[in-house]
Amino acid sequence: MPGKIAITPRSLSGQGHPALSSLIGSGYELVFPSPGEMPTEEQLRATIPECVGWLAGVEPIGGALLEQADSLKVISRNGVGVSNIEMPVADRLGITVARAEGANARGVAELAFALMLSGFRHIPWSDAGIRSGQWQRRKGFEAQGRTLGLIGCGAIGRLVATMATQFGMKVIGFDPFPDDSFVLEGFRYGEIGEVLEHSHAISLHCPPSDKPLLDKVALAEVREGVVIINTARAELVDETALLGALNRNQIGCYATDVYACEPPAPGPLITHDRVILMPHAGGFTEESVDRATQGAVSNLLSVLERR
């Protein structure tokens, strides 16, 4: 029997999307806990327990909330990451967690590559300087002939590798489960130590673990002046160690689209003139939103109608 479905991604709750009409046409009532904004825990607790389905974004979904959601059958992400969901609790309660596989890959990959080029050419710094009345330059460098290191070679990483080789770059990719069917001229798999030591830019495309991947030890191994791009998860980088590496010029630039807390609080890393910031917009393109929404809606109906 149809019931309520919560819609919480900011890209959908504020402006809607044509794909949501499929849910209404199937008899479901759509509820929006916080239109156009990331919902608070209080807003979710007031809404989710009444819902049978949840089209979810990147907001934290804790175990206590899931315990209260007696009617909830499925959480459908409009993306691929589920690190914001307390999965052991969802599994124990029999709540299906579905993902829109690959929907955001192109958008995130293009942003990662754009951030790399911005770091190479100091674009945000130059723009800010001219706007403030200064006329200063920092010498950049060209992509051709440089080495890009990838940590994580899934759908996003492989797209970034393809873009880089088209610019004449060499690419070293580390992945604990390498896909040997991915063959690309200019690309090879390597160990993580090779990525750290030889790369002029390092782009992160992997899930977090119980400790930062780029900690003080790892950051001491990177090539001086490296550009680090993070469109994956904030937890992959030790921010204290990162700030130290920036200040001693071990890292030339850090470009990120992800934060431990969103929006991030002001601090020395956020205000650093060699840090490039994006507001978690990797998958926020017209095409990615369309693919992700259609996939998430399809997954919701598949689970709910099956039940």
Side-chain angles (χ1 to χ4, degrees):
M1 180 177 179
K4 295 181 179 180
I5 293 179
I7 311 294
T8 54
R10 289 166 290 176
S11 59
L12 304 179
S13 63
Q15 301 177 350
H17 191 279
L20 299 179
S21 62
S22 297
L23 300 174
I24 299 172
S26 297
Y28 295 96
E29 177 187 349
L30 305 188
V31 294
F32 301 88
S34 181
E37 298 179 355
M38 183 178 291
T40 64
E41 185 176 351
E42 290 73 21
Q43 289 170 326
L44 293 175
R45 285 182 176 175
T47 307
I48 299 302
E50 302 177 353
C51 296
V52 296
W54 183 356
L55 201 166
V58 297
E59 63 277 355
I61 301 175
L65 173 63
L66 295 177
E67 294 280 5
Q68 298 173 17
D70 295 334
S71 301
L72 189 63
K73 307 301 181 185
V74 55
I75 301 170
S76 183
R77 280 279 291 110
N78 69 332
V80 67
V82 293
S83 60
N84 60 314
I85 303 173
E86 198 160 333
M87 289 298 297
V89 178
D91 290 341
R92 175 169 56 79
L93 296 174
I95 300 171
T96 299
V97 177
R99 305 185 292 175
E101 296 280 359
N104 297 339
R106 170 64 63 172
V108 175
E110 289 189 2
L111 177 61
F113 199 73
L115 289 173
M116 181 193 73
L117 294 178
S118 294
F120 282 179
R121 299 308 302 270
H122 314 292
I123 293 174
W125 176 85
S126 300
D127 177 83
I130 294 173
R131 291 177 186 274
S132 65
Q134 302 178 51
W135 188 258
Q136 295 178 318
R137 299 187 298 175
R138 281 177 176 168
K139 185 183 291 184
F141 51 87
E142 298 170 4
Q144 186 174 27
R146 303 284 176 170
T147 298
L148 170 64
L150 298 175
I151 301 181
C153 298
I156 298 171
R158 292 195 296 270
L159 282 171
V160 176
T162 301
M163 295 174 196
T165 58
Q166 290 171 347
F167 268 65
M169 298 185 76
K170 295 176 286 185
V171 183
I172 305 173
F174 168 77
D175 196 293
F177 306 101
D179 180 0
D180 294 330
S181 68
F182 180 65
V183 178
L184 180 68
E185 185 175 355
F187 169 86
R188 68 177 177 86
Y189 285 108
E191 296 301 319
I192 194 166
E194 294 182 84
V195 172
L196 297 176
E197 181 180 356
H198 297 296
S199 300
H200 298 92
I202 298 172
S203 194
L204 306 179
H205 303 288
C206 58
S209 61
D210 56 352
K211 64 178 183 177
L213 177 68
L214 298 185
D215 56 12
K216 184 176 181 180
V217 174
L219 292 173
E221 298 179 15
V222 301
R223 178 192 288 265
E224 185 174 345
V226 67
V227 173
I228 295 177
I229 306 101
N230 187 3
T231 55
R233 289 291 184 271
E235 296 87 348
L236 291 168
V237 181
D238 182 328
E239 292 191 354
T240 300
L242 174 68
L243 183 61
L246 279 163
N247 289 336
R248 66 175 182 270
N249 296 319
Q250 182 74 20
I251 295 175
C253 175
Y254 177 63
T256 186
D257 188 40
V258 289
Y259 310 88
C261 179
E262 298 185 356
L269 191 64
I270 297 299
T271 58
H272 202 286
D273 69 353
R274 285 186 284 113
V275 172
I276 302 174
L277 307 170
M278 285 291 293
H280 206 144
F284 194 44
T285 67
E286 183 175 342
E287 297 84 355
S288 288
V289 170
D290 284 348
R291 288 190 296 265
T293 306
Q294 290 163 4
V297 167
S298 177
N299 288 339
L300 276 171
L301 291 175
S302 176
V303 174
L304 292 173
E305 299 303 308
R306 185 183 71 224
R307 288 176 181 270

